[in-house]
Amino acid sequence: MNRNAYDLIRFVLRRLLQSLPVLLGIATINFLFVNLAPGDAADVLAGEAGAASPEFMAALRERYGLDEPLHVQFLVYMGKLLTFDLGYSFRFSRPVTELLLGNLGPTLLLMTTAILFACSMGVFLGVLAARCVNRWPDYLISVGALIAYATPVFWLGLMMIVLFSVKLGWLPSSGMQSIGAGYTGWRKVLDVAQHLIMPATVLGMYLTAFQVRLMRASMLEIGEQDFVTTARSKGLSEQAIAYRHVLRNAILPMVTMVGLQVSAILGGSVLIETVFAWPGLGRLAYNAVFQRDLNLLLGLLFLCSIMVVVTNILTEVVYRLIDPRIPLK
Amino acid sequence: MNPVLSISDLRARLRGPDPHAFVIDGLSLQVGRGEVVALVGESGSGKTMTAYSVLRLLPSAIQLVGGEILLGGQDVVGMEARQLREVRGTLASIIFQEPMTSLNPLMTIERQIAEMLLTHGKTTRQTAPARVIELLELVRMPDARTRARQYPHSLSGGLRQRAMIALALACEPQILIADEPTTALDVTIQQQVMKLLLDLRDQLGMAILLITHDLGVVAEVADRVAVMYAGRIVEEGPVVDLLEAPRHPYTAGLLACLPDVAEAGGRLVEIPGLPPKPGSIREGCRFAPRCPSATDLCTRVSPETRIEAGRAIACHHPRMPA
Ligand SMILES: Nc1ncnc2c1ncn2[C@@H]1O[C@H](COP(=O)(O)OP(=O)(O)O)[C@@H](O)[C@H]1O
Ligand code: SF4
Ligand SMILES: [Mg+2]
């Protein structure tokens, strides 16, 4: 046990260390974005501040070190990154880091819920479909997954708002909490959960469809393997075979898929958070793009790359916890 | 004495449009208590499917369509699912050809064996680990305590096959079906595993249906031999008798390919031509296209099985006894 925990921590640390070059690479690209675009950051800043006299520009350049040679600027930029100083957002009049951290929580909540929803539905429906293969529950689930797969996400979001908020009045249509209600404790948790249902469902819909189909195929494939015949020859019930032997093996591709799809989910959250006015990174990104808030956008990019890297390490850890064949190395 | 396994006129076919695509085509075979019967034949003749039929483990693509299988006197073919589960592992169990894939990669050896013991109520959760070690020691697993807690991937092929044997013997079955248990192993390991199986037979007294390619092994270990071709038993008899004086042309062909039958490790080399695909020959003897003694009659009429002097032969023109 202790030995395993120790291995696990070492593995995570090593993988984090290995991802540093990737993150530095992304930071470098970010830096080049700013500096290779026509004009320099002072032009952008001046434009954002709404004033552009030559004296003001010169003052800005000096204040932000923009008159220094490029490599010096690069080192300064990297130094700031290491202390998570991502510059200032003039649109929001707040430091970028503060903005990002304020919006990170809601996005993490939304994404985690969507991914957990997708995976649990994937297991539940995928296993059901595989166990009833070529009978009506299977057809129903497969067709359902196909439809969910092909439905445009924004349309689904709007339709759900029309149905559940406008027509039925069951669920709130926007935001993360009821404004001014001042709920605390469990009442607050319930309130957030109610706000969470629709955006998380819509965000997870595509991944759910994907996971259901993957799980079904994976269950059927594993079900044909030799060790399943062994399990059957031992006198186990079909139930025990499906859940104890097939399911655990069949779940592995699903774990890999979460790692691969996390960037798609991040992208999807821009849309979903905008539709549902969810106060997260996605909506921040939407604003940053439309208001040309360059510092904020670059900060978002950097944070997202960290999130993707971390999720990939997490899925690797989960994979290795399930599969003893791949050592924690 | 009642045979522990008695198969009569068994038929199984590939699911699909062709109703004649028989993989097992009227096969009859008996194994007495404590007896070692070898089932030999070229690859694709239906040996594995015969083994699977006994515990109704056929893959979904293949369907049992007729015949009777009595296991310890109980009819397996018409058995209900619940009773079938009780029989699996307790009356008969199977060791598969491929030790690398026949154990669940995500479960420790101990859990896989304990699971079976618990399913059949042969042990409790408290006593299971000790019983598993006992079984692993029975199959001479080196360092059984450590191995029990390992996953299959950290065991060599030979050790995995030992684990499979421990699993198969866990509920003390009356018959062990071993489907080419040593084919996938190194030559030295092959001999160890085969010796282990025989020692266990002497120790525990179960019957063994040994499916094999290795005629050298057959001569050494089996009491009786059944030769299988295209889903049927073509010749069957006591081992020494049959190997010394084969009467079916197919058996003779198999033996002629051996440099020296008595020499251990003599392997089965194929006779010119290939065994027919299921359903490709509907009339006459299935072996006729490859048979040196085939006549007009052979291509028209399928030979019945006749029993002469303790030998069963399905051939119109058997070779004369020496
Ligand atoms: N899973 C399967 N699906 C369809 N056909 C199969 C399957 N397994 C075996 N067969 C067919 O059944 C026949 C007998 O195969 P098998 O019993 O494995 O032969 P053997 O064990 O003697 O080599 C072969 O023609 C083979 O192609
Ligand atoms: S029946 Fe005819 S073809 Fe078949 S094995 Fe005998 S002699 Fe050969
Ligand atoms: Mg085989």
Side-chain angles (χ1 to χ4, degrees), chain B residues 14 23 42-49 59 61-62 278:
Chain B
L14 290 174
V23 171
E42 281 164 298
S43 185
S45 51
K47 304 184 296 295
T48 297
M49 294 308 123
I62 295 177

Side-chain angles (χ1 to χ4, degrees), chain B residues 236-277:
Chain B
E236 190 223 297
V239 67
V240 181
D241 205 26
L242 188 139
L243 292 183
E244 272 177 7
R247 298 199 53 202
H248 194 283
Y250 180 62
T251 317
L254 288 182
L255 286 167
C257 298
L258 287 178
D260 180 2
V261 182
E263 189 182 303
R267 291 191 128 279
L268 210 146
V269 185
E270 279 173 33
I271 305 163
L274 287 172
K277 293 222 160 13

Side-chain angles (χ1 to χ4, degrees), chain B:
Chain B
M1 197 164 68
N2 277 340
V4 57
L5 171 65
S6 167
I7 306 175
S8 26
D9 202 25
L10 190 69
R11 268 167 226 279
R13 68 173 194 90
L14 290 174
R15 277 182 217 273
D18 183 1
H20 298 280
F22 288 107
V23 171
I24 303 171
D25 192 3
L27 177 139
S28 300
L29 183 67
Q30 297 201 334
V31 181
R33 295 192 185 273
E35 194 180 24
V36 178
V37 174
L39 185 61
V40 298
E42 281 164 298
S43 185
S45 51
K47 304 184 296 295
T48 297
M49 294 308 123
T50 305
Y52 281 10
S53 310
V54 174
L55 285 178
R56 294 252 307 270
L57 295 170
L58 286 174
S60 51
I62 295 177
Q63 180 184 21
L64 263 189
V65 286
E68 188 186 57
I69 299 171
L70 294 179
L71 198 52
Q74 301 183 54
D75 173 38
V76 176
V77 175
M79 207 174 257
E80 285 188 14
R82 167 184 286 273
Q83 205 186 350
L84 191 61
R85 290 205 298 273
E86 275 168 28
V87 164
R88 286 175 178 164
T90 58
L91 271 183
S93 53
I94 302 194
I95 304 167
F96 301 95
Q97 178 171 348
E98 194 42 78
M100 297 322 238
T101 56
S102 51
L103 289 164
N104 186 338
L106 305 188
M107 271 193 196
T108 59
I109 301 295
E110 176 181 299
R111 264 196 73 194
Q112 301 196 43
I113 299 178
E115 183 185 34
M116 179 173 190
L117 291 166
L118 291 169
T119 299
H120 293 291
K122 300 282 181 189
T123 183
T124 61
R125 288 208 178 274
Q126 287 75 38
T127 52
R131 176 74 184 125
V132 170
I133 307 274
E134 243 175 65
L135 282 162
L136 289 177
E137 278 167 354
L138 179 73
V139 298
R140 296 179 213 141
M141 174 80 77
D143 205 2
R145 258 163 225 288
T146 317
R147 295 296 184 193
R149 269 178 270 115
Q150 287 179 334
Y151 291 90
H153 74 270
S154 25
L155 271 57
S156 66
L159 292 191
R160 285 191 215 189
Q161 203 59 306
R162 277 174 204 267
M164 264 311 285
I165 296 173
L167 181 73
L169 296 178
C171 298
E172 296 165 347
Q174 296 177 14
I175 178 169
L176 181 67
I177 300 169
D179 184 7
E180 309 204 30
T182 61
T183 307
L185 305 177
D186 292 344
V187 179
T188 47
I189 312 290
Q190 282 186 4
Q191 290 175 356
Q192 291 174 14
V193 170
M194 194 53 72
K195 180 166 184 328
L196 172 70
L197 275 178
L198 289 177
D199 290 352
L200 289 170
R201 196 277 304 251
D202 294 341
Q203 200 175 334
L204 308 174
M206 77 269 178
I208 298 181
L209 177 61
L210 179 67
I211 296 172
T212 180
H213 264 161
D214 195 335
L215 281 177
V217 164
V218 171
E220 272 177 52
V221 308
D223 302 317
R224 265 186 318 122
V225 191
V227 181
M228 188 162 181
Y229 188 77
R232 283 182 195 190
I233 304 293
V234 292
E235 181 167 15
E236 190 223 297
V239 67
V240 181
D241 205 26
L242 188 139
L243 292 183
E244 272 177 7
R247 298 199 53 202
H248 194 283
Y250 180 62
T251 317
L254 288 182
L255 286 167
C257 298
L258 287 178
D260 180 2
V261 182
E263 189 182 303
R267 291 191 128 279
L268 210 146
V269 185
E270 279 173 33
I271 305 163
L274 287 172
K277 293 222 160 13
S280 61
I281 301 180
R282 305 230 181 122
E283 286 179 343
C285 174
R286 308 280 143 110
F287 188 55
R290 302 167 74 187
C291 180
S293 328
T295 60
D296 203 31
L297 175 68
C298 303
T299 54
R300 280 188 290 108
V301 183
S302 181
E304 295 287 322
T305 303
R306 280 171 297 145
I307 298 177
E308 285 173 22
R311 183 90 63 100
I313 310 157
C315 177
H316 291 303
H317 314 292
R319 292 148 57 111
M320 283 304 114

Side-chain angles (χ1 to χ4, degrees), chain A residues 115 119 207 211 253-263 311 315:
Chain A
I115 290 175
C119 291
L207 186 62
Q211 298 286 41
M254 225 173 96
V255 177
T256 310
M257 193 45 69
V258 170
L260 293 177
Q261 290 280 331
V262 76
S263 40
T311 320
T315 52

Side-chain angles (χ1 to χ4, degrees), chain A residues 3-325:
Chain A
R3 167 124 209 102
N4 283 349
Y6 174 74
D7 282 349
L8 201 66
I9 291 166
R10 263 192 29 183
F11 173 77
V12 171
L13 288 181
R14 195 174 42 242
R15 292 290 284 110
L16 279 173
L17 219 66
Q18 284 168 354
S19 356
L20 274 186
V22 176
L23 291 175
L24 285 182
I26 290 169
T28 309
I29 294 171
N30 282 2
F31 177 79
L32 292 177
F33 252 122
V34 180
N35 287 282
L36 296 185
D40 61 14
D43 294 324
V44 178
L45 294 179
E48 286 177 351
S53 74
E55 295 79 34
F56 181 74
M57 298 282 282
L60 269 181
R61 291 210 165 90
E62 201 185 318
R63 181 172 156 206
Y64 289 101
L66 296 174
D67 45 359
E68 302 280 350
L70 203 61
H71 66 272
V72 175
Q73 287 188 44
F74 179 68
L75 290 178
V76 170
Y77 171 77
M78 285 298 181
K80 284 186 168 178
L81 257 192
L82 290 182
T83 56
F84 283 98
D85 179 357
L86 295 167
Y88 195 78
S89 161
F90 291 88
R91 290 290 177 201
F92 288 92
S93 304
R94 282 164 70 190
V96 168
T97 309
E98 199 184 304
L99 273 171
L100 293 182
L101 289 183
N103 287 260
L104 179 62
T107 291
L108 282 184
L109 178 66
L110 182 63
M111 278 179 56
T112 315
T113 313
I115 290 175
L116 288 182
F117 171 75
C119 291
S120 43
M121 290 307 273
V123 169
F124 179 70
L125 294 177
V127 171
L128 189 64
R131 293 199 64 190
C132 305
V133 69
N134 294 336
R135 284 184 280 139
W136 67 263
D138 178 29
Y139 291 130
L140 209 65
I141 291 167
S142 297
V143 169
L146 202 65
I147 291 172
Y149 196 66
T151 309
V153 168
F154 67 92
W155 182 85
L156 184 67
L158 292 176
M159 286 304 126
M160 281 181 85
I161 291 178
V162 167
L163 182 63
F164 293 109
S165 304
V166 180
K167 289 257 194 289
L168 297 171
W170 289 353
L171 294 169
S173 66
S174 73
M176 190 170 87
Q177 300 179 50
S178 306
I179 298 160
Y183 293 130
T184 52
W186 284 113
R187 191 64 193 80
K188 180 173 171 175
V189 171
L190 190 72
D191 185 44
V192 172
Q194 274 179 345
H195 282 82
L196 185 59
I197 291 177
M198 280 203 288
T201 310
V202 178
L203 181 60
M205 190 56 78
Y206 181 78
L207 186 62
T208 305
F210 213 99
Q211 298 286 41
V212 169
R213 284 152 46 111
L214 187 66
M215 196 65 198
R216 176 184 179 274
S218 184
M219 285 289 288
L220 291 178
E221 192 195 316
I222 301 285
E224 293 284 309
Q225 296 202 353
D226 289 353
F227 69 82
V228 177
T229 309
T230 305
R232 199 162 281 131
S233 81
K234 282 156 71 169
L236 304 187
S237 66
E238 286 303 311
Q239 178 115 344
I241 294 169
Y243 291 101
R244 244 181 273 158
H245 290 266
V246 184
L247 178 57
R248 275 193 68 197
N249 280 277
I251 228 167
L252 290 170
M254 225 173 96
V255 177
T256 310
M257 193 45 69
V258 170
L260 293 177
Q261 290 280 331
V262 76
S263 40
I265 296 243
L266 257 173
S269 69
V270 174
L271 202 72
I272 306 297
E273 289 185 8
T274 308
V275 170
F276 289 96
W278 187 264
L281 296 174
R283 210 173 50 143
L284 205 57
Y286 179 84
N287 288 329
V289 168
F290 280 92
Q291 301 179 351
R292 299 182 194 284
D293 195 335
L294 207 54
N295 270 351
L296 181 54
L297 202 58
L298 293 180
L300 272 164
L301 232 118
F302 188 63
L303 180 61
C304 288
S305 46
I306 293 180
M307 285 169 70
V308 171
V309 163
V310 169
T311 320
N312 277 311
I313 295 177
L314 269 179
T315 52
E316 270 184 81
V317 167
V318 171
Y319 199 104
R320 273 145 223 257
L321 287 180
I322 301 177
D323 191 341
R325 281 169 296 187

